[in-house]
Amino acid sequence: MKFSVLALLPALIASAAGRPAENLEKRATPKVYLAGDSTMAKGGGGSGTGTEGWGVYLPYSMNIQVVNDAIGGRSARSFTNEGRFQTIIDAVQPGDFVVIEFGHNDGGSLSTTDNGRTDCFGDGTQTCTSPTTGETVYTFVFYEVQAGKAIQAKGGNVIFSSQTPDNPWEGGSFTYTPSRFVGYAQTAAKAIGAAYVDHGQYVANEFQALGLSTVTSFYPNDHTHTSPDGANVVAAAFVKGVLCANDALAPFVKNSTSSVPGSCI
Ligand SMILES: *[C@@H]1O[C@H](CO)[C@@H](O)[C@H](O)[C@H]1NC(C)=O
């Protein structure tokens, strides 16, 4: 009977392509896609280095499937240019969720060199020209908004999440200074009416409560990439943020707000 299904496919594809997103039925069981860098990706800063990304621990708190498409070394710009957002946009069905969290690889200057990751400075429509390739480079907010709009056009729910802190106990006492990309993630969310989780602040609050020695043990190699235990805390902080915001993803979290450590901000 296979041939009859195959014969139907072109018609099915044609009808799906012509339908606006709002008329498409939501998936009964949505999926959560994760777009981010090494701090979220499987293996963390690299397999075998004792690190893990927080996206690996999110599934333990969710009643729905988590698809971790995060990959080390990426920025909002390189995730865009490599077609990685497009892959997610193509896969998204109405009612799915996409968590977008970048920042660690987005900084730097484009004045003389270009590593392919640095975004144009600014939080709006500024553009730069790559000094090495001549490529027009856009801002972090531009890349995030562009991806977010395309996901929303497919009926997906976008959650912009602020980047994780580098070890806030690094100097021996607690200091958390959010990077400019934290504010930019919120700007992107406001621009398209997407959800926002200040993940960086939720993590910082947990790390402050856990103290110097525990948090130091979470960073086996450097001040950015966490151990599996650290990644588990970072994942829980995200879950807390989702529950506290009570956004559209919250009903798919297994845990109650009060059972997850920390306070709402
Ligand atoms: C939520 O509950 C599950 C057990 O059902 C547990 O594995 C997970 O770690 C919990 N998540 C958080 C964020 O506490």
Side-chain angles (χ1 to χ4, degrees), residues 15-265:
S15 68
R19 265 189 285 171
E22 51 273 22
N23 292 342
L24 291 171
E25 299 231 335
K26 283 188 183 181
R27 254 198 231 265
T29 309
K31 293 184 183 185
V32 188
Y33 293 90
L34 305 182
D37 56 35
S38 58
T39 60
M40 186 193 245
K42 186 169 168 22
S47 306
T49 59
T51 59
E52 194 54 280
W54 70 267
V56 172
Y57 294 95
L58 185 61
Y60 296 102
S61 302
M62 302 301 307
N63 285 320
I64 53 176
Q65 190 190 344
V66 176
V67 181
N68 190 352
D69 287 326
I71 177 159
R74 296 327 191 263
S75 66
R77 174 185 169 202
S78 63
F79 209 82
T80 301
N81 286 350
E82 292 174 359
R84 295 180 188 277
F85 273 127
Q86 194 58 52
T87 301
I88 295 173
I89 293 159
D90 290 344
V92 160
Q93 294 190 24
D96 284 347
F97 296 87
V98 184
V99 179
I100 300 176
E101 183 182 295
F102 287 98
H104 285 288
N105 301 305
D106 291 77
S109 157
L110 287 166
S111 60
T112 54
T113 57
D114 178 12
N115 60 10
R117 310 169 182 184
T118 301
D119 308 317
C120 188
F121 197 91
D123 64 357
T125 55
Q126 298 89 338
T127 58
C128 299
T129 302
S130 163
T132 50
T133 64
E135 169 194 338
T136 300
V137 182
Y138 302 91
T139 65
F140 177 91
V141 172
F142 177 92
Y143 291 116
E144 292 223 328
V145 161
Q146 183 178 247
K149 277 186 183 165
I151 292 158
Q152 289 176 333
K154 296 276 310 270
N157 301 291
V158 179
I159 301 172
F160 288 114
S161 180
S162 62
Q163 73 169 99
T164 58
D166 287 338
N167 182 0
W169 287 100
E170 192 177 18
S173 61
F174 182 88
T175 339
Y176 172 55
T177 312
S179 88
R180 63 192 158 95
F181 299 103
V182 169
Y184 290 172
Q186 187 167 24
T187 301
K190 280 197 184 134
I192 61 167
Y196 173 66
V197 172
D198 192 352
H199 192 196
Q201 188 67 59
Y202 276 97
V203 174
N205 290 354
E206 274 315 286
F207 280 10
Q208 184 166 21
L210 288 168
L212 171 71
S213 62
T214 300
V215 174
T216 302
S217 77
F218 289 165
Y219 291 93
N221 302 330
D222 56 37
H223 66 189
T224 302
H225 300 100
T226 56
S227 65
D229 284 350
N232 196 29
V233 173
V234 173
F238 176 79
V239 170
K240 186 76 176 185
V242 166
L243 290 169
C244 290
N246 196 23
D247 70 27
L249 185 58
F252 300 103
V253 173
K254 281 182 188 171
N255 317 73
S256 67
T257 308
S258 61
S259 73
V260 180
S263 318
C264 295
I265 55 174

